[in-house]
Amino acid sequence: MAVGFGLWQSHRRVVSLQERLDSLETAVATLQPAPEKTPPAPPVIEAPSLPSDTNPIEHSWKTRIDDIIRENISNPEFGIDYIVSAMHTSRSVFYTHFKEVTGQSIGNYINNFRTEQAKTLLANPDLSINEIADSLGFSSQRYFSSFFKEKTGMTPSAFRQRQLGRVII
């Protein structure tokens, strides 16, 4: 076995730190620039609170999950697997513990979170419904509209008009 400074690779060759840095710089240089227009940052939505008798460890555990959801909600690829991985636990343990702590499944929790965030964003007439759909990680405005209507019984446009005090006939 060779002794030296560097990282051990699976093909049994020591790679120097300089080679690794050069490799990383090349990878970073090939990344495409971010699109020019980024959607506005959604306002911070308070997550549902836990009962007052919740122990501090469970509270910090749930707070961490809320932070993960809030930070990644605009990513269309975001889902339960990402949360499980970020929490460094198995899927079954996570599901069981989450249900015990919150009383609901993680899927329902994320959907409720998205619905509440959508209601808040719809109150802002400067944001288009398409921008809101994008900022909440929906693949299309149509899917967002059907999701929102299923959860609230109203289309996003009707909800916005009601929020802004406009009567819909």
Side-chain angles (χ1 to χ4, degrees), residues 5 8 11-13 15 17-18 30 35 59 69 92 99 105 114 125 128-130 139 144 149-150:
F5 296 101
W8 191 259
H11 50 74
R12 304 212 179 259
R13 170 172 105 79
V15 177
L17 291 177
Q18 186 59 49
T30 61
H59 183 71
I69 294 171
S92 61
K99 181 102 179 191
S105 72
R114 277 194 167 115
S128 73
I129 292 176
N130 195 40
S139 56
F144 167 66
K149 185 171 184 177
E150 179 183 321

Side-chain angles (χ1 to χ4, degrees), residues 138-163:
F138 287 93
S139 56
S140 70
Q141 180 180 339
R142 178 173 290 204
Y143 177 56
F144 167 66
S145 294
S146 65
F147 169 87
F148 190 83
K149 185 171 184 177
E150 179 183 321
K151 294 292 182 186
T152 65
M154 301 177 78
T155 64
S157 298
F159 182 87
R160 172 176 272 169
Q161 289 176 349
R162 190 177 102 196
Q163 289 296 101

Side-chain angles (χ1 to χ4, degrees), residues 6-162:
L7 304 172
W8 191 259
Q9 301 264 316
S10 63
H11 50 74
R12 304 212 179 259
R13 170 172 105 79
V14 176
V15 177
S16 74
L17 291 177
Q18 186 59 49
E19 287 177 41
R20 187 67 180 140
L21 284 174
D22 292 343
S23 160
L24 288 171
E25 287 174 355
T26 302
V28 168
T30 61
L31 292 175
Q32 296 181 358
E36 290 182 21
K37 182 181 177 188
T38 56
V44 174
I45 303 294
E46 290 303 316
S49 61
L50 293 173
S52 59
D53 62 343
T54 304
N55 92 37
I57 293 172
E58 288 176 346
H59 183 71
S60 69
W61 185 81
K62 180 162 170 313
T63 300
R64 183 157 179 241
I65 293 168
D66 290 341
D67 291 343
I68 292 168
I69 294 171
R70 197 173 288 112
E71 291 167 8
N72 295 283
I73 199 79
S74 64
N75 180 355
E77 303 299 317
F78 174 68
I80 297 164
D81 289 333
Y82 183 87
I83 297 171
V84 169
S85 174
M87 295 299 289
H88 306 290
T89 187
S90 74
R91 191 177 181 102
S92 61
V93 168
F94 178 82
Y95 273 89
T96 302
H97 189 68
F98 190 86
K99 181 102 179 191
E100 287 174 1
V101 171
T102 65
Q104 61 182 319
S105 72
I106 184 66
N108 285 341
Y109 187 82
I110 292 171
N111 286 339
N112 292 337
F113 191 91
R114 277 194 167 115
T115 302
E116 292 306 311
Q117 184 116 6
K119 288 177 181 179
T120 301
L121 294 173
L122 286 166
N124 181 350
D126 295 332
L127 295 174
S128 73
I129 292 176
N130 195 40
E131 288 174 320
I132 294 169
D134 286 344
S135 72
L136 295 175
F138 287 93
S139 56
S140 70
Q141 180 180 339
R142 178 173 290 204
Y143 177 56
F144 167 66
S145 294
S146 65
F147 169 87
F148 190 83
K149 185 171 184 177
E150 179 183 321
K151 294 292 182 186
T152 65
M154 301 177 78
T155 64
S157 298
F159 182 87
R160 172 176 272 169
Q161 289 176 349
R162 190 177 102 196

